[in-house]
Amino acid sequence: MKLSTPLLLSALASGASAQGGPYSQCGGTGWTGATTCQSGWTCIYSNPYYSQCLPSTSSSSTSSKASSSSQSGSSSSSTSSSTSSTKTSSASSTATPSSTPTVGPSRLTGKLPALGWNGWNAYGCAISADKVLAAANSFVSLGLQDAGYQYVNIDDCWAEQARDSTTNSIVPDPTKFPNGISGLAAQVHALGLKIGIYGDAGTATCSGFPGSLGYENVDAASFASWGIDYLKYDNCNVPSNWTDSGNPPGGDWYNSNSAIRYRQMTAALVAQSQPIQYNLCIWGNANVWQWGARVGHSWRMSGDSSATWSYITSIINTNVQYLDAVNFFAHNDMDMMEIGNGALTLAEQRTHFAAWAFLKSPILLGTDLSQLNSTQISIITNSELLAFHQDPNIGTPANPFTSSTSSGTTTPPEFYAGASSKGIHVFVINTAGSTATKTMKFVDVPGLNATSSQSFKVHDMWSSSDLGTFTTSYGVSVGAHDTVAVLVTPV
Ligand code: GAL
């Protein structure tokens, strides 16, 4: 694929290019993207799991970021550099509370994994009302809204550096958002869509704008008054008394300092008059899969995505260890989509979309939608994969199974099966770098309860076409890094 200028910018923002863009990830365990930063920015070590491109003159603060599930719950604090915001963090913002809210998230939103867009992978900090509105209009013109895409989400860098000195509210940047967030929200709502915003459970966001720790109530009230429907809540710049070192009291990570920071925002959100879907951007720290559903609707399982095959395989591999956590109102978040960014092959883009769909991760597109070609649009609007992802009757994802036809275990696993309202589906990823024949024996597929010589109809979800009736097994040639997606029904 030839990179047009906007796509090239996307690649820069996502860190998949030679040099990382502002505030992008530039190192850490499992990181395969850029390890140096563009001029004026320096790659600063934060902890073994995360380094970030920060302004070359930045000062120090504290944050901690894990990129993999191999993290035990310990989100040990370490020193990183970050831009210092001009906001003051009052004593109340860092004092640990005497009692912690136990209220759970709203049940009026977040039953199914979110489908939408977020500007970060495409634009980084260079976000504006125009770009958000362009994405919303593309939802309508490209058929994404008809396919079920709903949320148009703003990421970091939407605010002014200082809170309002009288009300303590965060102030939207008037240059980027001339009609405020509320004006933009009204325009997005007028299209029949929903709007999301970004905050941080520390004293400043990852890009140095006001954090919400200690300001949960005032910020949740602002979000609600602007008409916000979705909050992504990040984990940068956490004061040291709010981090976790070692196991939390009673061994339950719901009672960890990390979880308590997120619980404070849960309580503030549910006190608002409208439901706000709540995403915990906690990068797989603090065993979030154990308590995420008691606090929010979805939770990040890793550090930042990149437009690389190695990111796709590593996050699938992480996520498959924690699929028991996934059900209605509870979704492991594999991070925002990279279709349209970098140099993923078509097969890799298909696998990216299919895996996020069959593992029921939120799917938030992360590119300039106007640059997508018709093949990419057909991937992200595939009605059968979206129906599996958005099934109103079955909340569980597909799970890996052991196929007696495969020669050995792969990382990530290749064979997955899951139920939908239509029946049993099988998904097969060819993790190898060359075309291979993949064969599923029906007796191996969980949920089919097949006898050894039983016949099944096999239906291709990608093309919505029946492939025929097969006895005992179904084999198919799969391109390098591509994914087969079929519905298997007893004859
Ligand atoms: C990171 C987060 C990214 C993006 C960025 C904004 O911590 O994982 O998804 O939100 O902060 O600064």
Side-chain angles (χ1 to χ4, degrees):
M1 177 174 61
K2 182 172 171 293
L3 281 184
S4 64
T5 306
L7 284 179
L8 186 57
L9 287 175
S10 301
L12 287 172
S14 70
S17 63
Q19 292 200 307
Y23 303 107
S24 61
Q25 187 169 355
C26 54
T29 307
W31 175 247
T32 55
T35 52
T36 57
C37 306
Q38 68 186 49
S39 169
W41 299 76
T42 307
C43 186
I44 303 290
Y45 174 88
S46 176
N47 60 46
Y49 310 101
Y50 195 70
S51 301
Q52 187 182 25
C53 290
L54 294 170
S56 298
T57 53
S58 64
S59 61
S60 254
S61 64
T62 302
S63 79
S64 138
K65 188 159 194 166
S67 69
S68 105
S69 59
S70 61
Q71 282 312 285
S72 69
S74 68
S75 56
S76 60
S77 92
S78 58
T79 302
S80 73
S81 288
S82 168
T83 49
S84 55
S85 80
T86 55
K87 74 172 276 301
T88 50
S89 49
S90 67
S92 69
S93 72
T94 56
T96 29
S98 51
S99 67
T100 304
T102 53
V103 63
S106 168
R107 283 293 177 262
L108 300 176
T109 182
K111 175 181 170 184
L112 303 174
L115 264 181
W117 177 90
N118 172 301
W120 181 256
N121 286 352
Y123 304 115
C125 263
I127 193 61
S128 68
D130 286 349
K131 287 172 179 159
V132 177
L133 205 52
N137 283 318
S138 291
F139 272 28
V140 179
S141 63
L142 299 176
L144 294 166
Q145 183 179 29
D146 288 345
Y149 287 82
Q150 251 192 326
Y151 289 92
V152 185
N153 293 354
I154 304 165
D155 208 276
D156 204 349
C157 310
W158 57 269
E160 293 226 87
Q161 289 277 318
R163 287 175 178 272
D164 182 295
S165 56
T166 312
T167 63
N168 268 339
S169 305
I170 305 183
V171 181
D173 181 325
T175 308
K176 294 172 176 169
F177 297 92
N179 302 317
I181 302 296
S182 58
L184 176 62
Q187 290 173 289
V188 170
H189 287 153
L191 293 169
L193 299 168
K194 295 183 186 295
I195 186 163
I197 205 160
Y198 165 99
D200 188 277
T203 57
T205 71
C206 298
S207 302
F209 295 91
S212 296
L213 187 63
Y215 295 94
E216 292 86 355
N217 291 327
V218 69
D219 291 349
S222 295
F223 300 153
S225 74
W226 297 337
I228 289 295
D229 305 295
Y230 184 109
L231 173 67
K232 168 180 175 179
Y233 204 43
D234 213 339
N235 195 33
C236 273
N237 298 304
V238 178
S240 55
N241 61 319
W242 273 107
T243 59
D244 293 291
S245 54
N247 284 331
D252 182 354
W253 281 89
Y254 178 70
N255 294 321
S256 64
N257 283 330
S258 300
I260 291 171
R261 284 184 288 112
Y262 282 84
R263 286 164 58 184
Q264 293 185 169
M265 184 53 93
T266 312
L269 291 174
V270 296
Q272 307 307 315
S273 55
Q274 78 220 41
I276 297 179
Q277 194 170 142
Y278 187 25
N279 172 262
L280 321 178
C281 182
I282 192 171
W283 316 310
N285 272 351
N287 289 12
V288 61
W289 50 87
Q290 294 173 348
W291 51 268
R294 286 178 272 170
V295 177
H297 303 98
S298 60
W299 43 88
R300 278 272 296 276
M301 297 297 286
S302 68
D304 296 357
S305 64
S306 64
T308 58
W309 178 243
S310 63
Y311 177 76
I312 292 170
T313 51
S314 91
I315 184 61
I316 295 173
N317 208 42
T318 295
N319 197 14
V320 294
Q321 302 170 60
Y322 304 105
L323 293 176
D324 286 352
V326 179
N327 211 320
F328 291 136
F329 299 104
H331 299 105
N332 292 344
D333 179 357
M334 298 160 76
D335 202 6
M336 301 167 296
M337 305 298 287
E338 297 284 5
I339 289 174
N341 303 335
L344 294 171
T345 67
L346 202 54
E348 290 166 351
Q349 295 175 65
R350 279 157 54 98
T351 293
H352 183 6
F353 182 73
W356 268 238
F358 70 66
L359 297 176
K360 303 211 173 179
S361 168
I363 294 180
L364 296 175
L365 304 171
T367 200
D368 175 354
L369 300 172
S370 68
Q371 299 297 313
L372 291 174
N373 63 36
S374 57
T375 308
Q376 291 167 319
I377 291 169
S378 72
I379 292 171
I380 62 177
T381 57
N382 181 278
S383 60
E384 298 203 19
L385 282 156
L386 287 172
F388 185 91
H389 184 250
Q390 296 287 300
D391 196 306
N393 304 310
I394 294 179
T396 47
N399 273 265
F401 67 90
T402 305
S403 165
S404 55
T405 62
S406 53
S407 47
T409 47
T410 57
T411 306
E414 293 197 311
F415 289 81
Y416 300 79
S420 81
S421 299
K422 291 183 190 161
I424 300 294
H425 301 251
V426 178
F427 306 94
V428 189
I429 303 174
N430 177 8
T431 57
S434 56
T435 300
T437 296
K438 299 289 166 193
T439 302
M440 66 189 77
K441 274 196 185 164
F442 299 129
V443 281
D444 292 337
V445 178
L448 275 188
N449 301 318
T451 57
S452 58
S453 58
Q454 196 175 343
S455 296
F456 288 86
K457 278 196 298 185
V458 178
H459 170 91
D460 177 26
M461 296 170 73
W462 285 114
S463 62
S464 280
S465 57
D466 291 337
L467 299 171
T469 297
F470 300 83
T471 303
T472 307
S473 65
Y474 168 71
V476 61
S477 170
V478 193
H481 299 174
D482 206 350
T483 291
V484 173
V486 291
L487 171 67
V488 183
T489 322
V491 173

